[in-house]
Amino acid sequence: MTESFRRDGEYEQYTNPHQGAQQHASSPVNPEWPPPPAYQPAAHEPTGHGPTSHEPTGQAAGGAPTTLLTEPVAQPPKARRRNRGPVALLAAVAIVAAAIGGGTAYGIQELTGNDTVAATSSTSTNVVPSSQKGTVAGVAKAVSPSIVEINANSNAGSSTGSGVIITSDGEIVTNNHVVSGASSIKVRTSDGKEYTAEVVGTDSSKDLALIKLQNASGLTVATLGDSSGVQVGDQVVAIGSPEGLTGTVTSGIVSALNRDVTVSTDESQGQQQQQGGGGWPFEFGGQQFNGDTGSSTTTYKAIQTDASLNPGNSGGALIDMNGNIIGINSAMYSASGSSSSDAGSVGLGFAIPINTVKSDLAKLRSGSQN
């Protein structure tokens, strides 16, 4: 009965002895502010969120002090919102890292909007104009100015081959058998200009040679790719001068890799090459093609292609669909001299990988003759 006569607010500090401490701990308080009072103020102006003018001063309708129903209620959601940003960022980074680590280049391409050539094989260098990426016409237009026709004269006669310009002042890579034994060399560029050339260095063990044009400058240089990335089935383009037909373009695919091709290292074979319309003699799989390779031979690993190659393509370029040189055409089966039904390319050609060429350039430039 005495409890019902207790005056409002007389023993408020004992209703919940820990309530004031909880409010102080959960509320953001500047340490310079004075600590809150141990008891509620005796008087309180009513607000729109507190008790009405008919309720006891300083006390809500439910009997709890109105000062406890304030800011701390909104604090936890703010903390959760702050944590949500870093978690989302980490998740996004993890997704991107997983995509890159898994090699999903196509997915990244779709997300970024970047376009790439559909039939790339060895490098990311794009020589072909963007409007003609992945087309034979685009490759031919971009690379043909870097391919030359080579006419070598010797005591035995003359022969025709091809070459690839690697410096603007006229360094040209070709096959050793194209210039072997030559007493004079004439070179014609794609624009019809003719130059005299001299042999800088040869390497018969790889069937490679480096020649240099006299008084040349401003030539269009080929881009040498990376043959380690070539795969069976990659689309390729071949450019050369078969049978003296300058700048002939053919296309096909890489049909095999690491073929052991054996060719002659005898200089006399070079003097007789292509005489009578035959191709350069080579051996593959225990069989000889295009004549006798002789007793002095060398074997190298070659890229096999079904792009049409004919006599005169030797020393020319095998190119990926980005316009990068991935090989130097060196040997092909030729049925010339057989019946007319057997004449022409039969889709059996070989190219020296461009990585072999690049590793041999220093030796060739040193003037080595072997």
Side-chain angles (χ1 to χ4, degrees):
M1 294 294 292
T2 57
E3 185 107 9
S4 62
F5 293 101
R6 180 174 59 85
R7 288 176 297 176
D8 292 335
E10 183 178 3
Y11 301 107
E12 286 179 358
Q13 64 270 33
Y14 300 109
T15 54
N16 189 341
H18 301 289
Q19 210 158 20
Q22 289 175 348
Q23 177 188 4
H24 180 65
S26 61
S27 300
V29 177
N30 191 314
E32 297 180 359
W33 294 351
Y39 55 88
Q40 300 300 326
H44 177 81
E45 288 295 330
T47 64
H49 301 285
T52 64
S53 58
H54 301 291
E55 294 174 341
T57 303
Q59 200 169 18
T66 56
T67 53
L68 298 180
L69 301 176
T70 54
E71 194 63 22
V73 177
Q75 292 305 314
K78 290 185 178 179
R80 286 194 296 271
R81 284 195 296 271
R82 285 196 299 269
N83 291 337
R84 204 174 295 139
V87 171
L89 177 60
L90 290 174
V93 172
I95 291 172
V96 173
I100 295 174
T104 54
Y106 179 79
I108 299 300
Q109 169 193 330
E110 291 298 314
L111 290 174
T112 59
N114 294 334
D115 62 306
T116 57
V117 178
T120 59
S121 63
S122 57
T123 71
S124 59
T125 304
N126 289 313
V127 181
V128 181
S130 58
S131 60
Q132 293 184 306
K133 285 182 180 179
T135 66
V136 174
V139 173
K141 182 178 180 180
V143 184
S144 288
S146 303
I147 312 302
V148 300
E149 177 184 306
I150 299 174
N151 290 286
N153 296 300
S154 67
N155 294 332
S158 63
S159 61
T160 300
S162 304
V164 177
I165 300 172
I166 62 170
T167 64
S168 61
D169 61 350
E171 280 189 347
I172 294 172
V173 171
T174 186
N175 287 141
N176 176 63
H177 73 256
V178 170
V179 296
S180 178
S183 56
S184 67
I185 303 172
K186 297 291 184 181
V187 174
R188 179 181 295 176
T189 56
S190 63
D191 58 5
K193 293 182 180 180
E194 291 190 357
Y195 298 86
T196 298
E198 294 181 347
V199 175
V200 176
T202 61
D203 187 352
S204 59
S205 66
K206 295 182 176 68
D207 195 17
L208 291 173
L210 182 68
I211 64 174
K212 177 72 180 296
L213 304 185
Q214 296 179 359
N215 303 317
S217 63
L219 301 179
T220 302
V221 178
T223 300
L224 306 185
D226 180 3
S227 52
S228 67
V230 176
Q231 300 181 39
V232 174
D234 283 345
Q235 294 180 347
V236 289
V237 174
I239 303 179
S241 299
E243 306 293 354
L245 300 173
T246 306
T248 296
V249 177
T250 58
S251 65
I253 64 168
V254 173
S255 49
L257 297 171
N258 299 316
R259 293 297 201 193
D260 289 323
V261 174
T262 300
V263 297
S264 175
T265 59
D266 190 349
E267 185 175 297
S268 63
Q269 288 282 11
Q271 294 174 344
Q272 298 172 11
Q273 65 175 324
Q274 299 184 25
Q275 298 301 311
W280 176 247
F282 72 97
E283 180 181 327
F284 172 72
Q287 299 183 19
Q288 292 191 348
F289 302 91
N290 307 337
D292 185 5
T293 57
S295 58
S296 179
T297 62
T298 186
T299 301
Y300 57 83
K301 300 288 186 180
I303 300 170
Q304 183 179 323
T305 177
D306 70 350
S308 180
L309 301 179
N310 289 285
N313 273 114
S314 289
L318 189 68
I319 313 157
D320 71 15
M321 299 306 288
N322 274 335
N324 301 290
I325 312 300
I326 58 170
I328 299 298
N329 297 319
S330 58
M332 69 292 300
Y333 174 72
S334 174
S336 298
S338 302
S339 64
S340 59
S341 60
D342 294 330
S345 172
V346 295
L348 184 61
F350 301 94
I352 301 168
I354 201 63
N355 285 7
T356 300
V357 178
K358 291 191 291 187
S359 67
D360 208 36
L361 273 178
K363 179 180 179 180
L364 295 174
R365 284 172 170 155
S366 70
S368 176
Q369 306 282 333
N370 67 336

